[in-house]
């Protein structure tokens, strides 16, 4: 996999447009895969806020475990279909999502033996959307966490499986949050005690 395929969103838009294609029937593809765009204002400011309002704290028991599965599924796709080495899948997963516009994601620490992963995300589309939609997030949604960290538990699980390590119960925690005023979101995924 080349740096061209992954990496941050290029500041020169033409480099990104080179990888986009629209056919005569209006189908949009990016790097050969079909895409449908959804505006942040609809996905986050409206739909995600609606989910937070309806589900309340049960978000953590309903949506977060589903997000772990999303991380697992994407990690398997990267390894099985795109040939990413399992040892690198956490970094590649971060880059894969960064270039799709979710935010600038940085894997700060990976220890597959512990196991432990530390991830930071800056300029998150979720953090921005939630801040725009709700002024006092912690008062309105005291249970609030951004929805990205738990996907890394799924990616770590697949990395452990594919490198033939044992997979313990994993916990994930957002220790800093851009939505709540920190400079970035930061998640720690580790063995559950
Ligand atoms: Zn956050």
């Amino acid at each position: 996999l080349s740096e061209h395929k992954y990496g941050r969103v290029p500041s020169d838009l033409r480099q990104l447009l080179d990888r986009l294609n629209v056919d005569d029937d209006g189908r949009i593809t990016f790097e050969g895969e079909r895409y449908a765009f959804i505006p942040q204002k609809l996905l986050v400011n409206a739909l995600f806020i609606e989910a937070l309002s309806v589900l309340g704290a049960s978000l953590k028991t309903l949506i977060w475990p589903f997000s772990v599965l999303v991380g697992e599924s994407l990690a398997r796709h990267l390894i099985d279909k795109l040939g990413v080495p399992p040892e690198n899948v956490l970094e590649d997963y971060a880059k894969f999502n960064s270039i799709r516009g979710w935010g600038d994601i940085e894997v700060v620490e990976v220890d597959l033996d512990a196991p432990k992963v530390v991830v930071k995300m800056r300029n998150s589309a979720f953090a921005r959307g939630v801040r725009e939609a709700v002024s006092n997030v912690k008062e309105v949604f005291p249970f609030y966490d951004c929805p990205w960290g738990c996907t890394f538990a799924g990616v770590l699980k697949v990395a452990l499986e594919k490198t033939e390590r044992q997979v313990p119960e994993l916990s994930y925690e957002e220790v800093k949050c851009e939505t709540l005023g920190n400079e970035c979101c930061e998640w720690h995924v580790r063995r559950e005690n």
Side-chain angles (χ1 to χ4, degrees):
L1 291 167
S2 64
E3 274 303 305
H4 181 68
K5 183 155 184 127
Y6 289 117
R8 292 177 178 179
V9 179
S11 54
D12 181 347
L13 186 62
R14 282 166 301 189
Q15 289 175 21
L16 194 65
L17 291 178
D18 282 347
R19 296 147 75 179
L20 267 177
N21 187 56
V22 183
D23 71 15
D24 291 339
D25 295 318
R27 286 178 286 243
I28 300 167
T29 52
F30 179 60
E31 295 169 346
E33 297 280 341
R34 186 164 177 182
Y35 272 75
F37 291 111
I38 182 166
Q40 173 217 297
K41 281 207 158 91
L42 176 60
L43 176 68
V44 183
N45 307 37
L47 296 176
F48 182 58
I49 293 295
E50 192 66 26
L52 286 172
S53 309
V54 172
L55 295 171
S58 61
L59 191 82
K60 293 193 174 184
T61 49
L62 290 173
I63 302 298
W64 284 184
F66 174 72
S67 301
V68 174
L69 292 179
V70 171
E72 279 185 52
S73 168
L74 226 161
R76 289 186 205 286
H77 177 81
L78 290 172
I79 294 168
D80 297 337
K81 300 278 194 287
L82 301 180
V84 171
E87 296 78 10
N88 299 349
V89 72
L90 285 139
E91 287 90 348
D92 273 77
Y93 175 80
K95 291 175 184 173
F96 184 89
N97 285 310
S98 292
I99 201 158
R100 281 155 181 80
W102 292 105
D104 183 5
I105 310 170
E106 178 194 2
V107 177
V108 179
E109 186 185 338
V110 179
D111 181 343
L112 293 182
D113 293 319
K116 186 186 177 194
V117 175
V118 175
V119 178
K120 287 184 180 180
M121 187 171 188
R122 296 177 179 82
N123 303 321
S124 155
F126 268 92
R128 179 178 157 181
V130 173
R131 279 205 317 267
E132 284 174 358
V134 183
S135 51
N136 296 318
V137 179
K138 265 292 171 193
E139 284 170 34
V140 182
F141 303 122
F143 51 85
Y144 185 79
D145 267 341
C146 285
W148 269 98
C150 38
T151 70
F152 277 89
V155 182
L156 176 59
K157 192 177 156 198
V158 171
L160 295 173
E161 267 173 32
K162 296 272 186 185
T163 56
E164 295 178 349
R165 288 173 166 86
Q166 291 226 314
V167 183
E169 285 296 313
L170 296 170
S171 68
Y172 39 85
E173 183 188 9
E174 187 172 31
V175 299
K176 288 184 193 170
C177 184
E178 200 179 351
T179 315
L180 305 178
N182 294 123
E183 78 284 6
C184 65
C185 295
E186 180 175 326
W187 294 277
H188 294 187
V189 182
R190 55 162 70 95
R191 178 189 298 273
E192 191 162 74
N193 291 319

